[in-house]
Amino acid sequence: MIVAAFRVMLLTLWRDRAALVMAFVLPTVIFCVFAAIFSGAVGERIRIQVGLLDQARTATTGRLVTALQADPALRIALLDGDPVAAVRRGEVDVALVLRGDLAAGSGASDAPILVVESPARALATPIALGQVQRVLNEALPDVVLSRVVADVERTGKIGPDERAFLDKAFAESREKREAFSFAALVARVSTAEGHGGNARVAYYAGAIAAVFLLFAAMQGALSLVEERQSGIADRLAAAPGGLPVVVLGKFLFLVLQGIVQGALIFGAAALLYGVSIGPHAASWLVTGVLVAAMAAGLGLAACAAARTRQQAHLVSTFGVLLLSAVGGSMVPRFLMPPWLQSLGWLTPNAWAIEAYQAALAEGAGAAWPAWTVLAGLAVAGLGTALALTARPAPGPPRA
């Protein structure tokens, strides 16, 4: 009996080629994706997108812009408009505004470099500051030292002769490209205007909602496969409206279920962590409905296309896991390699997270592009499920 049971399971898997591929190929693919994510999210391999706006346009800021653009560890995007809006919309991970001459004695009272950060991408700020520090050390050591000496000069410990001597030494250091310590040149401002923790938690609330809505929709849609294999689908097909009516009923249930699940997640975020939903409650609700519809449509389409329960189960686990990893539900996408960040826009998770972020930060005006994608995915998924169930695919013979 042991050999017979082993042989039955082996033959069952071998005859189900789709399940065979997903069982042995998909885990390797998922490993490669996770390896790319986590190997690229450490040390110098992190290449964040930095927006750069040179408002001062002095000789020193020009040198810094040139040095930052030439640095291979950063991806620089020159900004023309509002840097706060660019960071809030996710066009860049962090923005640097050069608002004054970097050299000492320029007369500016404020820090010459303003860092615009988003709480949802809080890790990007120390990474950017570390890279700016390194570039200043390597490319502008004279500027750094001039500010240090200016602080000493204000104490009255050195006079004009000593300052002239040091200026000459700085010029020689610049020619030799010798590095020196970092001076306090930076001020910071948040796109959340003091509510950083809220925005950070809101990001993960949207990310987790996208994952679990997809998982729940896939599990609920498995009933399509069970009904087909048990013969119930044949009897339902003979009822008024046929199987498409059944699919529409399942779709409405899964959408309602997803709305409730998303509301519970964000309710916990609001009660326990102070996430602010009220100012944009309508936009948040629209986003929740569209994310739930997207998950329901894709879940029904995947299960309608699966010929066996094993295929549907593998898609509902490994498939959702893969989409969630690439889409930013597990690791923020700005920590991924650039090619994987671009690939993430092909996943529903990335658009769900983008919709929640935009809706809670700025409302409908910023969220409508993501809404359009989510609505398109929902319609496409539901349409595919209706088309496939209108002519049921042949499954394995029933006993």
Side-chain angles (χ1 to χ4, degrees):
M1 289 296 295
I2 295 177
V3 176
F6 179 88
R7 182 172 180 273
V8 168
M9 295 192 68
L10 177 63
L11 290 177
T12 301
L13 180 62
W14 179 256
R15 289 168 181 167
D16 192 347
R17 298 303 171 88
L20 185 66
V21 170
M22 287 187 285
F24 294 104
V25 176
L26 198 56
T28 306
V29 174
I30 292 178
F31 161 74
C32 293
V33 171
F34 273 92
I37 291 173
F38 290 107
S39 65
V42 293
E44 296 181 354
R45 295 187 178 184
I46 301 178
R47 298 185 64 227
I48 60 174
Q49 183 85 12
V50 179
L52 192 58
L53 178 61
D54 186 1
Q55 294 179 339
R57 298 188 180 279
T58 65
T60 55
T61 59
R63 289 172 56 196
L64 180 59
V65 169
T66 302
L68 289 172
Q69 287 181 305
D71 192 275
L74 295 171
R75 292 181 293 147
I76 299 296
L78 297 179
L79 302 177
D80 295 324
D82 183 9
V84 175
V87 174
R88 184 180 290 124
R89 290 193 298 264
E91 297 174 1
V92 294
D93 300 318
V94 65
L96 302 178
V97 181
L98 308 181
R99 56 183 183 177
D101 194 352
L102 304 180
S106 61
S109 57
D110 296 329
I113 302 177
L114 178 66
V115 178
V116 182
E117 59 183 335
S118 170
R121 295 179 292 277
L123 190 58
T125 302
I127 294 173
L129 290 177
Q131 298 291 2
V132 170
Q133 174 181 344
R134 179 179 55 79
V135 171
L136 282 169
N137 286 345
E138 295 175 353
L140 289 85
D142 55 311
V143 172
V144 176
L145 277 179
S146 69
R147 299 187 68 88
V148 175
V149 172
D151 292 337
V152 178
E153 190 176 19
R154 279 193 293 270
T155 66
K157 302 299 182 180
I158 61 175
D161 294 337
E162 291 85 353
R163 179 57 191 260
F165 170 78
L166 290 173
D167 287 341
K168 181 180 179 181
F170 295 162
E172 294 176 356
S173 298
R174 180 174 59 188
E175 294 176 359
K176 296 177 182 179
R177 301 184 63 83
E178 296 176 348
F180 294 92
S181 60
F182 186 53
L185 300 172
V186 177
R188 293 165 65 169
V189 63
S190 172
T191 59
E193 300 180 355
H195 300 285
N198 295 352
R200 189 156 48 246
V201 173
Y203 171 88
Y204 289 106
I208 295 300
V211 176
F212 281 97
L213 262 64
L214 282 170
F215 270 124
M218 290 285 184
Q219 292 300 316
L222 280 174
S223 59
L224 285 176
V225 182
E226 295 170 349
E227 291 166 356
R228 187 192 315 135
Q229 291 185 329
S230 64
I232 297 178
D234 295 336
R235 292 191 288 273
L236 292 174
L243 286 177
V245 175
V246 176
V247 171
L248 287 174
K250 293 178 183 293
F251 176 78
L252 292 177
F253 172 81
L254 292 175
V255 170
L256 180 59
Q257 172 185 272
I259 293 172
V260 174
Q261 289 174 324
L264 290 174
I265 292 173
F266 275 91
L271 291 174
L272 301 179
Y273 299 98
V275 171
S276 179
I277 298 175
H280 300 292
S283 299
W284 168 81
L285 181 59
V286 172
T287 302
V289 172
L290 289 175
V291 172
M294 172 273 295
L298 294 181
L300 289 169
C303 291
R307 296 186 59 185
T308 64
R309 181 178 175 83
Q310 187 174 10
Q311 290 180 13
H313 181 70
L314 288 171
V315 170
S316 66
T317 52
F318 288 106
V320 172
L321 184 64
L322 182 61
L323 292 176
S324 301
V326 177
S329 289
M330 298 181 180
V331 178
R333 288 175 54 246
F334 75 89
L335 294 176
M336 301 179 187
W339 67 270
L340 203 52
Q341 293 184 33
S342 300
L343 190 63
W345 289 118
L346 301 178
T347 67
N349 299 67
W351 290 105
I353 295 171
E354 179 71 13
Y356 275 121
Q357 288 288 101
L360 291 176
E362 298 183 69
W368 71 264
W371 286 355
T372 303
V373 175
L374 292 173
L377 289 173
V379 172
L382 179 60
T384 301
L386 290 172
L388 291 174
T389 52
R391 47 178 187 82
R398 297 188 300 273

